[in-house]
Amino acid sequence: MEFLVRYNEASDSIRTTISPNNVPEEEEEEEMLRNDLKYYFMSPCEKYRARRQIPWKLGVQILKIIMITTQLVIFGLNNQIVVSYKEENAMAFKRLFLKGYGGVDEDDYSIAWYTQQDVHDGLFYLLDQYGNLRNLSVGPVSYAQEDSESLPIVICKELYKKGSKPFEEYYNIEEDNLFLCLIRFINMKITFQLKGVNLHTIRAHELPDCYTFFVTIYLDNQGHSGLIKVYFEMNTVSSACKNWKISGTAQRNTHYVLIFDSFVILICLTSAVLCTRSMILAIKLLQRFSRFFRVNYKRKICKADQKEFLNGWYVMVIISDVLAIIGSILKMEIQSKNLTSYAVCSIFLGTSTLLAWVGVIRYLGYFQTYNVLILTMQAAFPKVLRFCCCAGMIYLGYTFCGWIVLGPYHEKFEGLSRVAECLFSLVNGDDMFPTFAQFHEKSILVWLFSRVYLYSFISLFIYMVLSLFIALITDSYETIKNYQKNGFPMTDLQKFLREQRDFTCSEGSRQVESNYWALCCCRRLPNDDDILLIC
């Protein structure tokens, strides 16, 4: 038997109304459906007060956020050690093998050679340094070996086969290579492998990593512009150190971390199961409500009411759980030295933590003060998305135009991605004067075009596009504030929960409902704050 219990805070009294046995079956079904709907849309605290049901889902989410954030911090600190080790070795190798390297790359290349003497001295210097590496390096670096033999350095060069010095305006050249002559020199690739050990991880109570450094030094003279660009590239592969015997805290702490990661996977599985269960129950409840309206009122429920049962927060939490599980498995493999995919693992763990923290907003939405922000973001999002699609067309036009016209005259317009980044900085008011000042008057026509281009872009996007963007959000905020003051539009679902029988709604009200009520969860009205449902 069902009881409708009304708690009156003023008198601290409880009045119980028992439904009589002679209530028609349809009314009893309607009352059961109404009670289930009210219970479904309650907050975790209200559900606990109503049925003394512990909010397991809320507890699991709080525990999951704490655990995956702790896991992320631990992995981030370890990853920082690995990244620092790779960057410091890259800097050390540049200093060791590139003659004249000053510690800072000149552009997208590390260093440039301008004379024949620079090229020959640089090549002989590289070979000498490589041969004396054991006596020069201050770190635990050695030559890579295969079958107990050191791997050789490999030099590949590409030249024009025949040619003459460019005394005339024509060149007599044929392709293919062998002999290094700087007039015919196209490029050269020097590759070698080195081994290293990251001992810093032991101080962090971790097992040490052994690394293989695949070093490539590339000399580029394809332009034959009198400047040979020297590129330094290094790919690093880590693996478990063989024949290492480590005792003490390093081994034990590794086991502790693996156990902690296993608990994270278990918590995420539990969270995903609970959210999936809630979504299934919501769909069944929607089917009951839709069938009841179709049978008793000969009408379909509004789309806004249908969306009330499709909780996007649960979908986001499930995605977060799946990413966290995959990231935890990768982290355990990395911890066991079976994988080295630090970047992939970072993406999974970082994205899962982001979605988990964003999911907290769902519980803040039960408080009216925080709910204003959430409703404003949800109401403004469709308008902002459509607006950005229109503004994006203009933005792409400026991007392509700036790249093709201004690219040869300004380093910020040399590539499409750099143009897009430069224009985005200008929209936010960054780096305006240097962008204007770096245009030199090499071509009066291009200089005038750059002024028209920059002034029109800044004026259009800052004074018009950005202002309209803010106005859309402000309009949504004012609408939500007005609705909170005067009351939100009543949907069929809300009227049913308040036991009203008038379910007619005009097209205008349906449009308002789909814009706003589809974005906010059903909540109890202030007049019903003292109602508790107990079965």
Side-chain angles (χ1 to χ4, degrees):
M1 183 176 293
E2 297 182 357
F3 297 91
L4 179 61
V5 181
R6 180 175 298 272
Y7 177 73
N8 192 329
E9 296 181 354
S11 60
D12 293 335
S13 62
I14 298 179
R15 298 187 301 274
T16 304
T17 303
I18 304 178
S19 58
N21 295 328
N22 58 353
V23 175
E25 184 177 350
E26 292 182 359
E27 294 185 5
E28 184 177 354
E29 179 185 358
E30 179 179 349
E31 190 63 24
M32 290 177 60
L33 178 59
R34 182 177 291 108
N35 291 343
D36 291 339
L37 288 171
K38 287 182 178 180
Y39 183 78
Y40 174 77
F41 290 112
M42 285 181 179
S43 68
C45 295
E46 292 168 342
K47 290 180 179 179
Y48 177 75
R49 291 197 301 265
R51 298 184 181 178
R52 296 299 175 184
Q53 179 177 330
I54 299 176
W56 295 108
K57 193 155 62 262
L58 175 60
V60 169
Q61 294 303 317
I62 295 175
L63 181 60
K64 185 188 75 172
I65 288 176
I66 295 174
M67 294 189 70
I68 67 174
T69 303
T70 304
Q71 180 191 50
L72 183 73
V73 172
I74 294 174
F75 180 76
L77 294 175
N78 295 337
N79 193 24
Q80 188 176 2
I81 295 174
V82 174
V83 172
S84 298
Y85 178 77
K86 293 179 181 179
E87 292 179 348
E88 291 171 2
N89 273 276
M91 179 62 66
F93 292 156
K94 288 180 181 180
R95 288 279 193 175
L96 281 173
F97 300 120
L98 300 183
K99 185 177 182 180
Y101 182 72
V104 180
D105 291 352
E106 295 189 8
D107 199 351
D108 56 340
Y109 50 89
S110 298
I111 196 174
W113 291 335
Y114 299 92
T115 65
Q116 296 184 18
Q117 190 66 34
D118 290 341
V119 177
H120 289 99
D121 290 347
L123 292 176
F124 284 115
Y125 177 83
L126 189 156
L127 296 175
D128 290 340
Q129 294 291 97
Y130 180 80
N132 297 322
L133 180 64
R134 295 181 183 274
N135 301 323
L136 293 175
S137 177
V138 297
V141 180
S142 60
Y143 303 110
Q145 294 184 346
E146 185 175 348
D147 298 331
S148 301
E149 294 185 1
S150 298
L151 295 175
I153 187 172
V154 179
I155 302 176
C156 298
K157 58 180 182 289
E158 184 179 356
L159 313 137
Y160 290 114
K161 187 174 182 180
K162 295 180 181 180
S164 58
K165 291 187 178 181
F167 295 120
E168 307 293 339
E169 291 186 357
Y170 61 89
Y171 308 101
N172 177 24
I173 54 177
E174 296 178 6
E175 287 198 14
D176 223 1
N177 74 53
L178 260 188
F179 183 78
L180 180 58
C181 175
L182 293 179
I183 300 299
R184 296 182 287 116
F185 173 62
I186 300 175
N187 60 62
M188 175 184 291
K189 182 184 291 186
I190 305 171
T191 58
F192 53 89
Q193 298 180 29
L194 301 174
K195 300 284 288 186
V197 181
N198 185 6
L199 299 177
H200 183 67
T201 55
I202 296 180
R203 298 181 60 187
H205 307 293
E206 294 287 340
L207 294 172
D209 294 324
C210 290
Y211 291 88
T212 301
F213 302 104
F214 297 88
V215 180
T216 301
I217 299 176
Y218 184 78
L219 280 65
D220 182 14
N221 191 38
Q222 297 184 34
H224 287 83
S225 58
L227 177 148
I228 295 180
K229 302 175 182 178
V230 182
Y231 296 87
F232 181 93
E233 298 178 359
M234 185 181 76
N235 294 323
T236 307
V237 177
S238 64
S239 59
C241 296
K242 298 179 179 180
N243 301 324
W244 279 71
K245 295 181 179 180
I246 299 176
S247 60
T249 58
Q251 191 75 24
R252 289 198 300 270
N253 284 348
T254 302
H255 292 162
Y256 294 152
V257 173
L258 292 177
I259 294 173
F260 178 78
D261 292 335
S262 301
F263 274 110
V264 172
I265 294 176
L266 180 62
I267 291 296
C268 291
L269 280 174
T270 304
S271 172
V273 170
L274 291 175
C275 291
T276 304
R277 172 179 171 273
S278 297
M279 293 181 64
I280 294 174
L281 293 177
I283 293 175
K284 291 182 178 179
L285 192 58
L286 172 60
Q287 292 174 348
R288 286 178 55 193
F289 182 63
S290 178
R291 183 169 54 252
F292 177 82
F293 253 62
R294 185 173 60 254
V295 172
N296 293 274
Y297 298 103
K298 309 300 180 183
R299 59 179 291 144
K300 295 182 179 180
I301 62 175
C302 303
K303 291 184 178 180
D305 289 337
Q306 296 178 12
K307 293 179 181 179
E308 290 290 342
F309 296 89
L310 304 177
N311 198 323
W313 295 109
Y314 289 151
V315 177
M316 186 175 63
V317 171
I318 293 173
I319 294 175
S320 172
D321 293 333
V322 173
L323 294 177
I325 292 172
I326 297 175
S328 298
I329 294 174
L330 292 176
K331 181 178 179 294
M332 295 173 69
E333 291 295 318
I334 293 173
Q335 201 77 32
S336 303
K337 311 304 178 185
N338 297 325
L339 287 178
T340 59
S341 306
Y342 280 91
V344 178
C345 183
S346 299
I347 292 173
F348 280 106
L349 291 181
T351 307
S352 65
T353 307
L354 169 64
L355 295 180
W357 278 99
V358 172
V360 178
I361 298 178
R362 172 177 178 265
Y363 297 100
L364 294 177
Y366 291 113
F367 303 95
Q368 184 175 359
T369 304
Y370 300 101
N371 204 29
V372 175
L373 173 62
I374 301 170
L375 294 179
T376 301
M377 293 172 58
Q378 292 175 330
F381 181 75
K383 301 177 185 178
V384 170
L385 192 61
R386 291 190 293 267
F387 180 79
C388 288
C389 290
C390 298
M393 301 299 103
I394 306 175
Y395 191 87
L396 286 175
Y398 270 93
T399 301
F400 286 112
C401 179
W403 171 59
I404 195 65
V405 178
L406 306 179
Y409 303 94
H410 200 294
E411 62 178 5
K412 294 181 181 179
F413 293 84
E414 290 179 352
L416 283 174
S417 61
R418 299 189 69 175
V419 176
E421 294 164 1
C422 175
L423 295 181
F424 187 78
S425 298
L426 292 176
V427 170
N428 290 276
D430 298 333
D431 212 24
M432 282 193 179
F433 180 74
T435 304
F436 278 93
Q438 290 180 19
F439 276 108
H440 304 293
E441 298 187 21
K442 296 180 180 179
S443 171
I444 298 298
L445 181 61
V446 174
W447 184 84
L448 291 174
F449 179 86
S450 69
R451 265 45 191 174
V452 175
Y453 175 87
L454 292 175
Y455 279 123
S456 62
F457 176 82
I458 293 173
S459 301
L460 177 63
F461 273 83
I462 291 183
Y463 302 133
M464 293 183 62
V465 175
L466 195 58
S467 298
L468 289 174
F469 182 85
I470 297 174
L472 289 175
I473 300 176
T474 304
D475 178 68
S476 298
Y477 175 78
E478 293 296 334
T479 303
I480 295 297
K481 290 290 291 183
N482 183 54
Y483 276 10
Q484 285 193 334
K485 181 179 179 181
N486 301 322
F488 283 85
M490 295 293 292
T491 64
D492 292 346
L493 177 60
Q494 290 293 319
K495 294 176 181 178
F496 178 76
L497 292 178
R498 298 192 67 184
E499 303 183 15
Q500 296 182 7
R501 300 290 178 176
D502 180 19
F503 296 111
T504 59
C505 55
S506 63
E507 293 298 325
S509 62
R510 287 179 181 270
Q511 184 177 2
V512 173
E513 291 165 5
S514 63
N515 288 338
Y516 295 100
W517 275 105
L519 301 172
C520 58
C521 61
C522 288
R523 64 178 70 80
R524 293 180 305 155
L525 297 176
N527 297 334
D528 299 331
D529 282 343
D530 57 346
I531 292 180
L532 300 180
L533 298 171
I534 299 178
C535 293

